[in-house]
Amino acid sequence: MKSWVSAVVAATAVIVVLAGCAGTPEELPPPERPHVTDGPGVEPLTSDDPLQFAFDQRGVTGEIVSVEVAAFVAGDEAGDRLDDGSERDATSDRDAVRRWELTPDSQSPLRVTVPLDGLEDGVAYELEFTLIDVDGTRSVAVNRVPIELALGLPRPIPEEAELVTLDRRQPLRWRFPEEPADTDEAIDTDEAIDTDEAIDTDGAIDTGESGDAEEPANTDVVGRGRSFTTAVIRTSDDRVSGREWPVADATGPWEPEEPLTDAGAFSRRAVVEWQIRVVSRRGVLGPWSPEGLVRFDPVQAVPRARAHTDGGEAVVATPGLSWESPAGAVAYRVELGAADRVNGSDEPERLEPEIAETELLETEAPRVRLDPGGLETLLDGADTRFVRWRVAAIGPDGVETPFSDYHAFRYVPFMGGLETVVPVDARVTVLLGSDTAEESDERPAVPVALPLPFAMARYPLTNRVVAAIVELEAAAGRMEVTADGVRTTADSPRTLVGLETLDFGAQFGLRAEEGSLTVADGYAAHPAVGLTWYGALAVANALSLLEARDPVYSGLPSADDEITMHPERDGYRLPTEAEWAAAAGARQRIVAGAELTIIEDRELSSGDLRGVNHLRSGDRWEDLQPPYTANGGPTSPVGSVGPGSPLGLFDLLGNVWEWTADWYDPERYRRITDGGVEVPWAGPVEPVLDVYGRVLRTVRGTAWNTPGDDVRLGNRGGFAPEATSHSIGVRLVRTLR
């Protein structure tokens, strides 16, 4: 019985086993894998600080010796891994944009710090973690971690989208979106020409020395609170592609230690493409800039002349030849000679390019200033007074551009010279105003130091000078003459000279005829009136170019732009009110090294007044009936009434008021006394409303229509800078070096 039971039990067991073998077995549970348990939130990252992650170690038995981190661009299907526990290919570099192998910060809990270097700002990523134990076993964490970088690193912009250069180590420059580009196309004052004052009187030419450009301040650029100082540039051309160059200072410029291209670049006119991206302090990459082009083409790098190009009159006694400096140029060749006439004509447009006798000059500066004695020698025996010239540039590898086209000008100087007021190394103070003055804007007396040495023109600008300058500027496309006056050629033009209708009367001397500015008979030597304050600045800049000097003003072409002044430059400019007062009040010439105070306030004698063209002065040009022109007046030819000042200056009082650089402030002297003026010698930094709420510029000197009782050195006036008055003229100064 017992054996049966046993047999039955055994049989039953066999049946059960057989039945089990015949059915579907249960699947084994998936192996446990580690999880990321702690990390950053889902908000975009605005910092490049390293990120710390923590893990559980499910399924991991050995000690973790390293953690491999792979970064994939979010949504990159080729790099996807499933989160269902299936095996992942964690060893492939095919899809990851960045990999790190990191040592854990701690084991319990397991933590690791992940740098963000090499990732791009503004891109979303997924991070995948692989734990590696002492036996080399790799365990991929089940969950990927999404991150998005939002540091706000800016995208640089090449300063010039296309740059032609003669230097294979051409420095590259860029700006950032918040930095405005230079829009002054008429006069590029950022590329200032050299302004060495020396004149070689033994020869025809003074070539000077090349000046050193001022280095920009080395400041960090900030993107959403994070600063960066480094960058990467990549370049490629038709011979070399894909090179990357480290840049130590992301504010630039960058000067490559090696040439951007090979030595044959100029012969084949190679083009190098380049881009730059900024890099955060911890290595996050900003977006690539737009593409910039660098052309190594000598033909396109031919220098372009800035003045004395169209056959016009030189105007000045010491004309200077200047040109835009091609990038990479280190020297220049200038060919100079007298030009021949064609069929007895003096028309400059008919001049042939042949040069009878030439002089070849070399200079390192993008200008030469011509000596009057040398010019007269050059023109001796020539049929005309025309001088013809052209220029070529030379690069550091000895590559030379072709010569420019021929340019010509007529050497017939008729502008008066300058007299030194404050020489170099002199320390001069001027006592402005008077404690007892009747007019409130002339009180109290205040001492003002003059920090800049300067020279002043002997006379106000004449009609002949202004007409010649306008013609030259019109030929260059910077000014245009209409029946109403002269203005700039910008979309929002500035009025420079008023003609038919003025704010305060009829114009004298200047006329518009068929698009040209001409001078009425008998008025060539009279002071030019009708110039606005902006017109005075434009004429000053034009004269600076005619002498190859550094223009003082920028922002002139468009009425939408602000005027920027650089009084330290050696170009022509308006005097400050204090400089005008010092020139008018000086009773003796000032020598270098002198220390003195000039007193502006003094009583004028009857003899002094007889030398002034004022209302009812009795000068032979005066006519008291409108339009005041019956006797050739109301202005008088410059220097024709009365003797010059002790400094050799004429018409400082009377004839025409003279624009100064300063805003008019009726309370200026009091503000200086109270210590409320930052730069007292230069006038108000910002415009100050007068008692009528107007914004004005200061004029000095009185005019032909000023009553004799009001003629005094301290008399101040204020006019709107757009005013085109029949009684305001222009006298210029230059800063000395």
Side-chain angles (χ1 to χ4, degrees), residues 63-85:
E63 179 183 358
I64 301 301
V65 295
S66 65
V67 177
E68 184 182 272
V69 184
F72 300 90
V73 175
D76 184 356
E77 296 180 359
D80 263 349
R81 303 288 193 273
L82 298 175
D83 289 344
D84 60 1

Side-chain angles (χ1 to χ4, degrees), residues 348-431:
E349 63 267 19
R350 296 185 62 189
L351 286 170
E352 295 291 349
E354 290 81 10
I355 301 289
E357 294 184 7
T358 62
E359 186 173 353
L360 191 62
L361 315 166
E362 291 195 7
T363 173
E364 294 181 357
R367 62 102 173 117
V368 291
R369 196 165 300 144
L370 310 182
D371 173 68
L375 278 175
E376 292 296 344
T377 301
L378 189 70
L379 293 170
D380 186 29
D383 291 337
T384 71
R385 300 283 293 176
F386 278 103
V387 176
R388 188 177 285 279
W389 66 282
R390 59 180 182 170
V391 59
I394 305 171
D397 292 328
V399 176
E400 187 167 349
T401 71
F403 271 104
S404 67
D405 293 337
Y406 282 99
H407 307 293
F409 64 92
R410 190 197 308 264
Y411 184 56
V412 186
F414 47 80
M415 178 180 169
L418 279 70
E419 297 289 347
T420 297
V421 178
V422 177
V424 176
D425 297 331
R427 299 178 64 181
V428 176
T429 297
V430 59
L431 190 66

Side-chain angles (χ1 to χ4, degrees), residues 440-441 664-667 671 688-696:
S440 61
D441 66 348
Y664 175 73
D665 177 6
E667 299 293 323
R671 295 185 208 279
V688 179
L689 299 181
D690 72 349
V691 293
Y692 302 103
R694 300 172 300 178
V695 174
L696 310 175

